[in-house]
Amino acid sequence: QVQLVESGGGFVQAGGSLRLSCAASGSILSINDMGWYRQAPGKQRELVAVIGSGGSTVYADSVKGRFTISRDNAKNTMYLQMNNLKPEDPATYYCNATIIVLVSYRTKQYWGQGTQVTVSS
């Protein structure tokens, strides 16, 4: 029915930048909140940033001033601009979205497959 696909992860040096993308496709009527989460080896998954349908945003303290979340509602796509990457940032980054599905009009949570971010010093 619905699929979220992340892209844009990769290998960068400390202080570098990456932009992650999350594209939603399938039987979508509308998308409410969208967010980015990350999980490092041996640690719990944690929230990075959230953006509402109207553009309001919330950031984790660890990424404030460095990361920017945005969305293009016409394209059902969300972005995470990551600047000044630090040694604590490497992780698998996951896209999450709350979506109203066509036909049934039910609200469901969806997760992407994850994209790996690696930072070298």
Side-chain angles (χ1 to χ4, degrees), residues 2 6 8-9 24 26-27 34 39-40 44 46 48-49 83 89 97 100 107 112 117-118 121:
V2 175
E6 299 102 334
S27 302
M34 303 185 76
Q39 186 169 22
Q44 295 291 100
E46 64 178 355
V48 177
N83 296 329
D89 294 323
I100 301 176
T107 301
V117 173
T118 302
S121 60

Side-chain angles (χ1 to χ4, degrees), residues 22-106:
C22 172
S25 62
S27 302
I28 299 170
L29 176 64
S30 63
I31 303 176
N32 297 135
D33 293 344
M34 303 185 76
W36 289 98
Y37 295 74
R38 67 185 182 187
Q39 186 169 22
K43 294 185 178 295
Q44 295 291 100
R45 188 173 299 184
E46 64 178 355
L47 185 145
V48 177
V50 173
I51 184 167
S53 60
S56 61
T57 59
V58 176
Y59 294 92
D61 289 341
S62 60
V63 306
K64 287 181 179 177
R66 300 188 297 119
F67 292 6
T68 302
I69 188 171
S70 61
R71 63 191 288 172
D72 186 336
N73 291 331
K75 297 180 179 180
N76 288 337
T77 301
M78 175 180 63
Y79 307 94
L80 184 68
Q81 179 66 46
M82 308 167 66
N83 296 329
N84 191 23
L85 285 160
K86 298 182 177 181
E88 62 265 30
D89 294 323
T92 301
Y93 284 71
Y94 296 91
C95 173
N96 173 267
T98 302
I99 296 174
I100 301 176
V101 181
L102 284 170
V103 182
S104 70
Y105 299 99
R106 294 186 64 186

